[in-house]
Amino acid sequence: MIEKDFSIITDDDQTIYGLINGPEGGSSKALILVHGLTGHMDEQHLIKTAYRFAKQGYDVFRFNLYGAQKDARKLENTTLAIHANDLNTTIDYVKSKDSYKWIGVAGHSYGGMTILHANPDADALVFWDSSFSTATIWENEAIIIDGKPTVNWGISVNIGEAMYKEGLNQTLDESKNLAKQIKAPSLVLHAAESLKTPAYKGVFDSLDCTKKLVVVEDADHCFTRLGNMDEALSAMNLWFKKYS
């Protein structure tokens, strides 16, 4: 298996930093992974996904939507619209290599919302425990600290005024309309635990494309419990095989 860095300069002179994992000799199939809010490309569920699919013959691209590098975006200055543009920029970068005949995209949590906003030109998609009602998230989970919108998920993180307002102002009907524009075959992969909260409900019902719903019982949002990742990745593998 190979592992190598890549970077992309965006239209507004920011840099997207990422990693490629793949088989020796390369592949004609590219899988792009999108992390969630306050997350990053080196979370355990994304690393496991990259390694699993690299072993199965995919070149797996994972990247940070923001980062510590001077020329990388900062979370407090981003929005879903910016994330979506950066996802499509990454897809364009992958397509520019000419060697890829198939592209899949999987977005975890708020990464699923990034997919919704991007409506990417891809052969297959996975909404991986994707959130859907952004207003619900910010109304229930954001607090204002020193005048700044903040989430406290174990660590307090400033999400930025623009993203906060964007999320509050996106109605459920707007999320549904975005979902109806998706044309690529889409797997909606949910942790049973997440479906107990309103923020995650509605993705599958709102999609108007070829679709399938898989719910992993006893799974948490990041699929950390024993056996959950294997079940999630097996469902992804079957979906991508079907459309590649």
Side-chain angles (χ1 to χ4, degrees):
M1 182 193 303
I2 61 96
E3 182 168 272
K4 60 183 178 181
D5 298 312
F6 74 92
S7 61
I8 309 167
I9 307 297
T10 66
D11 290 340
D12 58 349
D13 292 324
Q14 300 292 295
T15 304
I16 298 169
Y17 290 94
L19 278 173
I20 308 169
N21 293 104
E24 296 286 347
S27 175
S28 63
K29 298 184 292 184
L31 171 58
I32 299 170
L33 305 182
V34 189
H35 67 75
L37 186 66
T38 76
H40 52 82
M41 69 179 184
D42 292 326
E43 293 176 281
Q44 62 87 25
H45 51 290
L46 297 184
I47 292 173
K48 287 181 179 178
T49 303
Y51 289 179
R52 167 88 171 257
F53 279 91
K55 288 179 180 177
Q56 292 174 191
Y58 294 77
D59 278 352
V60 184
F61 292 74
R62 51 194 165 100
F63 65 98
N64 283 326
L65 292 163
Y66 39 80
Q69 298 90 345
K70 270 189 175 181
D71 54 349
R73 298 195 190 282
K74 303 300 176 255
L75 173 57
E76 62 269 23
N77 298 324
T78 63
T79 62
L80 271 174
I82 292 171
H83 290 178
N85 190 64
D86 285 352
L87 170 57
N88 282 330
T89 296
T90 303
I91 290 173
D92 288 343
Y93 171 81
V94 172
K95 287 184 174 180
S96 74
K97 301 303 178 183
D98 292 331
S99 56
Y100 297 111
K101 309 303 180 188
W102 181 93
I103 295 176
V105 182
H108 177 254
S109 192
Y110 225 58
M113 294 302 298
T114 296
I115 291 175
L116 274 188
H117 279 252
N119 191 6
D121 182 13
D123 295 288
L125 304 173
V126 173
F127 291 88
W128 186 3
D129 213 31
S130 174
S131 45
F132 193 61
S133 175
T134 58
T136 300
I137 295 172
W138 301 132
E139 287 167 356
N140 294 334
E141 301 191 35
I143 57 177
I144 305 299
I145 299 178
D146 296 330
K148 298 177 180 179
T150 303
V151 290
N152 187 336
W153 296 334
I155 298 174
S156 294
V157 179
N158 173 19
I159 58 172
E161 188 73 23
M163 180 174 280
Y164 178 66
K165 287 182 177 179
E166 176 193 60
L168 280 179
N169 292 333
Q170 183 171 317
T171 66
L172 193 54
D173 281 344
E174 286 175 308
S175 291
K176 290 177 179 178
N177 287 336
L178 287 170
K180 290 185 185 303
Q181 295 172 36
I182 298 292
K183 299 304 178 189
S186 297
L187 172 66
V188 179
L189 177 61
H190 271 306
E193 186 175 291
S194 295
L195 286 176
K196 297 175 184 177
T197 60
Y200 294 89
K201 294 178 180 177
V203 183
F204 180 77
D205 290 341
S206 301
L207 289 168
D208 200 25
C209 55
T210 301
K211 60 185 179 178
K212 181 178 181 179
L213 174 65
V214 172
V215 179
V216 181
E217 297 298 331
D218 300 318
D220 63 6
H221 182 51
C222 291
F223 294 76
T224 60
R225 295 170 186 161
L226 189 63
N228 289 165
M229 274 296 295
D230 286 339
E231 190 172 344
L233 293 178
S234 292
M236 278 192 210
N237 183 41
L238 288 173
W239 188 254
F240 287 142
K241 272 189 174 179
K242 186 174 182 179
Y243 293 100
S244 64

